[in-house]
Amino acid sequence: MSQTVPIGTVSRETGIKVPTIRYYEEVGLLPSPARTDSNRRSYDAAAVQRLRFIRHARELGFEVEAIRQLLTLSDQPDRSCADVDSIARSHLTEIDEKIAKLTALRSEVQRMVDEGEHGRVAECRVIEVLGDHGSCLHERH
Amino acid sequence: MSQTVPIGTVSRETGIKVPTIRYYEEVGLLPSPARTDSNRRSYDAAAVQRLRFIRHARELGFEVEAIRQLLTLSDQPDRSCADVDSIARSHLTEIDEKIAKLTALRSEVQRMVDEGEHGRVAECRVIEVLGDHGSCLHERH
DNA sequence: TCTTGATCCTCTAGTCGCTAGAGCATGTAG
DNA sequence: CTACATGCTCTAGCGACTAGAGGATCAAGA
């Protein structure tokens, strides 16, 4: 009934490369789709939607494992939202850390660019700045 | 004269794992250090400093190739600072993009967490937010 | 002196999330 | 009917590590 499309079309519609779609199937993010007589994958709208979800989540930095969890949860909609919530929450922390690091980096690199415009590398702050004196952003593990 | 230390000590001092230090040597980020009679690597203060630089830069999101460029430049300090400057500048753009994406992500995930606190997965905004309706952060490539 | 256990060495292989290519089978347009 | 695009499977590669095998060496205690 509802229209199905080959993998190339799905690729164009979702912006996910063909081998990557097959990879997502292989690792279980995407259920194996129906096949045509000649063994070609044919996807329905739900699959396309799911791939869009996956792409979006990947772009937002969720790891495949996290996406798998989210998809599993959304596949069994009776479970409490707390599970989804905790996944999201742990990502929030992670994201905040990344933003903090990048912001620090930004100002350091900006300073490089500002100060390093005249003269030679020898006078450049680059190496020094990324050394480890002074602003120690990160504790060791 | 100046004191040298084995790889384990360097690892502890820099927070970089032993195999990773050897890996950095292998890929040419770190010059091969002197060896003891029994063939063990022994590092001087400069090597430790260089590793700290590498670690810091890695944590801040520089790729190994970019670090290699920066280190190469700093190893031959006669070259114009313009080279370092252009590397730094291109990173600045990259960093700004990363920050922008993460900031957008942060607010989306925050919204998920805020709104998704009650009820079941079926009603959860998380899945919805990650769907693809509405706020499309990213153009397709 | 002996022995225990930590540390070191090299080497190979595995991880994640793709990506690229070989070699072949189909589909579609002129 | 011939191109040529698209699909298939399979294997191998990427970056940046990480883990483990199997062996040598070191430092400290009994």
Side-chain angles (χ1 to χ4, degrees):
Chain A
M1 298 294 96
S2 67
Q3 188 184 342
T4 67
V5 289
I7 199 166
T9 308
V10 174
S11 173
R12 252 165 271 125
E13 278 176 19
T14 59
I16 302 172
K17 289 180 184 165
V18 169
T20 306
I21 296 172
R22 292 197 277 244
Y23 169 76
Y24 287 155
E25 180 186 337
E26 191 191 318
V27 299
L29 281 194
L30 194 64
S32 301
R35 299 283 185 130
T36 66
D37 315 11
S38 56
N39 199 37
R40 301 189 168 198
R41 289 166 179 85
S42 87
Y43 296 92
D44 58 14
V48 174
Q49 182 61 21
R50 195 178 177 100
L51 274 171
R52 263 200 265 269
F53 174 94
I54 293 168
R55 173 173 163 251
H56 201 167
R58 282 294 297 134
E59 278 177 347
L60 293 178
F62 285 82
E63 287 174 5
V64 162
E65 184 48 40
I67 298 172
R68 200 197 317 277
Q69 287 168 24
L70 289 170
L71 284 170
T72 303
L73 290 171
S74 87
D75 287 343
Q76 6 173 286
D78 286 338
R79 293 184 45 192
S80 159
C81 198
D83 295 342
V84 173
D85 195 61
S86 80
I87 294 172
R89 238 175 239 287
S90 79
H91 270 279
L92 202 55
T93 310
E94 216 176 274
I95 293 156
D96 281 343
E97 282 166 10
K98 280 190 191 173
I99 290 176
K101 273 190 190 182
L102 282 170
T103 305
L105 169 61
R106 217 214 97 92
S107 70
E108 291 193 17
V109 176
Q110 183 67 64
R111 208 173 70 211
M112 288 185 203
V113 169
D114 289 349
E115 294 182 0
E117 249 160 7
H118 17 265
R120 298 152 163 284
V121 176
E123 298 151 22
C124 245
R125 303 289 310 266
V126 182
I127 306 303
E128 217 176 301
V129 156
L130 284 182
D132 216 20
H133 350 267
S135 70
C136 194
L137 295 168
H138 319 286
E139 73 292 354
R140 44 205 53 155
H141 25 224
Chain B
M1 296 300 94
S2 68
Q3 187 185 344
T4 68
V5 288
I7 199 167
T9 307
V10 174
S11 172
R12 251 165 272 125
E13 278 176 20
T14 59
I16 301 172
K17 290 181 185 165
V18 169
T20 306
I21 295 172
R22 293 197 275 243
Y23 169 75
Y24 286 154
E25 180 185 337
E26 192 190 318
V27 299
L29 282 194
L30 193 65
S32 302
R35 300 283 185 130
T36 66
D37 315 13
S38 57
N39 200 36
R40 300 186 170 202
R41 289 166 179 85
S42 88
Y43 296 92
D44 58 14
V48 173
Q49 180 63 17
R50 197 178 176 101
L51 274 170
R52 263 200 264 271
F53 172 92
I54 293 168
R55 173 174 163 249
H56 202 167
R58 283 293 299 135
E59 277 176 348
L60 293 178
F62 284 85
E63 287 174 8
V64 162
E65 184 49 40
I67 298 172
R68 199 196 318 276
Q69 287 169 22
L70 289 170
L71 284 171
T72 302
L73 290 170
S74 89
D75 287 343
Q76 1 175 285
D78 284 340
R79 292 181 49 189
S80 157
C81 199
D83 295 342
V84 171
D85 194 61
S86 80
I87 293 171
R89 241 175 236 287
S90 80
H91 271 282
L92 204 53
T93 311
E94 205 185 311
I95 293 156
D96 281 343
E97 282 165 10
K98 280 189 190 175
I99 290 175
K101 269 194 188 179
L102 282 171
T103 305
L105 168 62
R106 215 213 100 91
S107 70
E108 289 200 21
V109 176
Q110 184 67 65
R111 205 173 74 213
M112 288 183 203
V113 167
D114 289 348
E115 295 182 1
E117 249 162 4
H118 18 266
R120 298 150 164 288
V121 174
E123 299 150 21
C124 232
R125 298 294 310 269
V126 180
I127 306 300
E128 214 176 303
V129 161
L130 287 178
D132 214 17
H133 349 269
S135 70
C136 197
L137 294 169
H138 317 286
E139 73 291 355
R140 44 205 52 156
H141 26 223

